[in-house]
Amino acid sequence: MFSLEGKVALVTGGSRGLGRADALALARAGADVIITDILLESDQPDSAEKYGPLAQLMKRRGVVYTEQTAEEITKLNRRSAVYKMDVTDREQIREVMAAVKDRFGHIDILVNNAAALDHVASIENQSDELWERDLKINLTGAYNCSKAVWPYMKEQQWGRIINMASVAGTLGGFGQASYSSTKAAVIGLTKSLALEGARYDITVNAIVPGIIGTEAWKSGNPKMNERMIARTAFRKPGEPDDIAHAIVFLATEEANYISGIELNVSGGIELFTF
Ligand SMILES: NC(=O)c1ccc[n+]([C@@H]2O[C@H](COP(=O)([O-])OP(=O)(O)OC[C@H]3O[C@@H](n4cnc5c(N)ncnc54)[C@H](O)[C@@H]3O)[C@@H](O)[C@H]2O)c1
């Protein structure tokens, strides 16, 4: 039970954090895993400049593990590859998907994980530019990748699409107008595609993480982070593997009758904690 042997998975935004944990967990469960991101380990340090302060910080700290993760997957006796893929670039997505199909034979699992998380400002101070960026990456990115992989999944009459939403999308988030709007919209996209995919045995589900202690989350405002933790029933952030294990389950054959759900992996942050 719960084996992904013979399946090929593609993870977007897989260079660090949850994407990296998802890739490793999918491989441990038996899948071959393709890691994609805008920023690769082999890129020059100044290549992060155009992607904003968070990307620059992560590159400076060496928190970009694309090739390393692929190597770890290979050591598990699974196939792996790394591709530069910007989820806002439709042409590049099409090329990468075609290359993966060519090299690996099929694409069975898509994890739409890539997102921008660092735009925090009250409505009057929201940057119009970052609002547009967040829509483009977090929402349109998931749409772009789902649309590109759809014909392959439809043809093989099997597929798993797993979208990363957030409790910011289901509960709202102070100062997170752009981020929470995109994450709420990802849930709408998930449900519509679940309806359309069922006839082809393509399931589409959303994971709703609470607070997960990734490098990106840790680089946020420490006081705000403390307040977030205090809201969880567990009084601690979740681990990246808590998300990854839920994704593995939704990707399995055994989850074949689950589609269109929002699966909270949130340590009870939405409970009446006091
Ligand atoms: N960490 C949390 O507490 C938390 C909570 C709720 C939801 N999430 C969601 O989980 C996912 C991962 O979060 P994380 O904490 O690992 O964040 P992260 O910033 O470490 O990871 C995001 C990844 O997306 C990549 N990316 C950004 N723009 C891209 C683009 N245009 N094309 C391709 N890749 C791009 C980044 O390079 C990075 O590798 C995101 O969707 C996030 O919204 C995280």
Side-chain angles (χ1 to χ4, degrees), residues 12-19 36-39 54 85-88 112-117 137 164-167 179 183 209-217:
T12 70
S15 82
R16 58 178 190 248
L18 298 186
T36 67
D37 207 293
I38 31 162
L39 205 54
L54 180 62
M85 190 177 90
D86 180 339
V87 298
T88 69
N112 280 317
N113 167 79
L117 299 74
I137 299 176
M164 295 302 288
S166 167
V167 288
Y179 180 71
K183 292 298 180 176
I211 306 307
I212 312 297
T214 59
E215 298 92 343
W217 179 78

Side-chain angles (χ1 to χ4, degrees), residues 12 86-90 93 110 112-117 130-148 161-166 169 177-193 206:
T12 70
D86 180 339
V87 298
T88 69
D89 183 341
R90 294 189 178 120
I93 295 167
L110 167 68
N112 280 317
N113 167 79
L117 299 74
L130 294 182
W131 168 274
E132 300 292 349
R133 179 204 65 174
D134 288 356
L135 280 170
K136 251 175 113 175
I137 299 176
N138 303 4
L139 174 60
T140 313
Y143 158 80
N144 289 339
C145 296
S146 304
K147 191 173 178 186
I161 297 178
I162 297 149
N163 294 325
M164 295 302 288
S166 167
S178 63
Y179 180 71
S180 66
S181 302
T182 62
K183 292 298 180 176
V186 157
I187 293 173
L189 176 69
T190 300
K191 290 177 193 265
S192 294
L193 299 192

